[in-house]
Each structure stands twice: as C-alpha cells, then as structure tokens.
Amino acid sequence: DTAVSQTPKYLVTQMGNDKSIKCEQNLGHDTMYWYKQDSKKFLKIMFSYNNKELIINETVPNRFSPKSPDKAHLNLHINSLELGDSAVYFCASSVLPPGGAQYFGPGTRLTVL
Amino acid sequence: GENVEQHPSTLSVQEGDSAVIKCTYSDSASNYFPWYKQELGKGPQLIIDIRSNVGEKKDQRIAVTLNKTAKHFSLHITETQPEDSAVYFCAATTGNQFYFGTGTSLTVIP
C-alpha cells in the first residue's frame, strides 16, 4: 500500500488556469508538507501543516493555497497559473517534530503552457 | 536559519568503487540528519539517518558519519552498483523544518 500518494502524477495546463493537487498519507503522521522541486532538482519547502494547522508558510505567492481537511490529507490549490509554476511538486509527511523522518510522495509534474 | 551545503554536485564512479558525498550545516542546534535517494521520476526516499548523539551509523553498504564539532556529515556507499545511480540529498533539522542540500547526481559506470 502506498504510504504517501499524490494525484495527479502529471498535470498539463494553460497559463491563467486554476488547478489542484491532492495528497493523502496512510502513515498516521501528524505533519504534512508541500515541496517544489525545480529543474535543477533543488527541493524548496512551501508549506507545513501539523494536525490541520499551518505551521510553516515560506515565501510563496498567495496564488498557492494549501488546504487540510483532515490530518491525513493536504491539498494544494494554485490559482492563475504562471509559466514559472512549472515544476515537480512533492507532498511529504512525518511524525510530530522534532527529528522525525519525512516520507515523500511520488510527485506531481506540473507543466504550464 | 539553517544553511546546508552539499558536495560534489555530480559524481561518477566505477562499479565496485566507493562513493562519498559530504554536507555541512550551519546551525549547531540541528539534531537530525537524514539522507535521501531520488531515482528518476520518483520522490526522494529515506535511505539512512543519524541523530546528533551518534557519530556513525551503518546499514549494509551505506554508512553515515557525523562530526558535530566541525558541523559536517557524510554519506559513504561501498561496492557501488549501477542501481545506486540516482540523486542523493542530505538534510538537517532542529525540529520543525527540514533544510535540504542541493543534491548530488551519482552515476555508477558498469
């Protein structure tokens, strides 16, 4: 069974559209994250949620809005997509910090045309 | 905040040789140091980790060493195999937030 799953795996869309990426974890973890990985493979944290509450919100445009309906889900909604949003987005989860290993999903490759 | 530097950015080794990837960190409060392997088209996968109260940890062909005084930690892969080819990331954390290195692309040449 997949521990951290994301849908869709690929997302191709036009500039200006609104899209969502869904993430679910079945590990019973308390904390979930969204990362953006650019073409140079650099992993940049975007958001972190702990028990449905936002605890980290890095400097990302407010076009990106995470939503956590429950502890096992953290979805990412992106408004007015721009070319620069093209990247691979990873969801991850961990036990309550400090010092818990993060487990990553398979990623969603977003391409904005 | 924490700053994690990782070297080298690319590494090629012959099959059977050893590979070493090094990371340094800046925040002496960092207490947990995981290493991740990312294969093409997949998410990063935890391969080994070490906590600040331990100097070395080994798991079969993979080992990690930590020098708290110098604030650096290293990944050692022995007897490399072609399936070890991937991008490897180090990370450091004091608790809430993980800080990742910039990645090392390892190629094992058969």
Side-chain angles (χ1 to χ4, degrees), chain B:
Chain B
E2 176 65 277
N3 181 38
V4 178
E5 294 189 359
Q6 182 172 346
H7 299 281
S9 57
T10 60
L11 179 61
S12 291
V13 298
Q14 293 288 335
E15 183 177 357
D17 287 350
S18 295
V20 180
I21 302 170
K22 298 182 178 182
C23 287
T24 60
Y25 62 99
S26 60
D27 190 345
S28 56
S30 288
N31 55 17
Y32 177 65
F33 307 90
W35 284 90
Y36 290 85
K37 175 183 181 183
Q38 185 177 19
E39 296 176 328
L40 198 61
K42 296 185 178 180
Q45 181 183 13
L46 179 71
I47 55 171
I48 196 167
D49 55 11
I50 192 166
R51 298 192 184 274
S52 58
N53 58 349
V54 175
E56 185 174 356
K57 184 176 178 180
K58 190 173 180 181
D59 182 3
Q60 299 183 333
R61 298 185 297 109
I62 295 174
V64 57
T65 58
L66 171 65
N67 183 327
K68 283 195 302 181
T69 304
K71 296 200 194 72
H72 65 71
F73 55 114
S74 301
L75 178 71
H76 304 253
I77 306 174
T78 58
E79 300 171 23
T80 53
Q81 301 168 2
E83 51 266 38
D84 294 330
S85 295
V87 178
Y88 290 81
F89 292 95
C90 63
T93 181
T94 58
N96 280 335
Q97 187 164 343
F98 277 63
Y99 296 88
F100 283 86
T102 49
T104 296
S105 179
L106 172 65
T107 302
V108 179
I109 304 165

Side-chain angles (χ1 to χ4, degrees), chain A residues 19-78:
Chain A
K19 290 293 178 186
S20 292
I21 305 172
K22 294 185 176 181
C23 177
E24 176 182 2
Q25 55 95 4
N26 63 6
L27 297 167
H29 287 165
D30 299 294
T31 308
M32 296 185 73
Y33 311 81
W34 276 108
Y35 285 87
K36 179 180 180 181
Q37 187 173 50
D38 59 25
S39 58
K40 295 185 177 180
K41 298 289 188 180
F42 183 64
L43 275 167
K44 179 178 169 57
I45 191 163
M46 301 173 69
F47 302 102
S48 171
Y49 265 74
N50 184 12
N51 278 328
K52 300 195 301 175
E53 290 189 19
L54 181 66
I55 56 173
I56 293 173
N57 182 359
E58 290 296 304
T59 51
V60 299
N62 56 14
R63 298 182 294 104
F64 290 79
S65 54
K67 289 205 169 31
S68 182
D70 55 57
K71 202 173 76 165
H73 296 85
L74 181 62
N75 303 324
L76 184 64
H77 189 76
I78 315 170

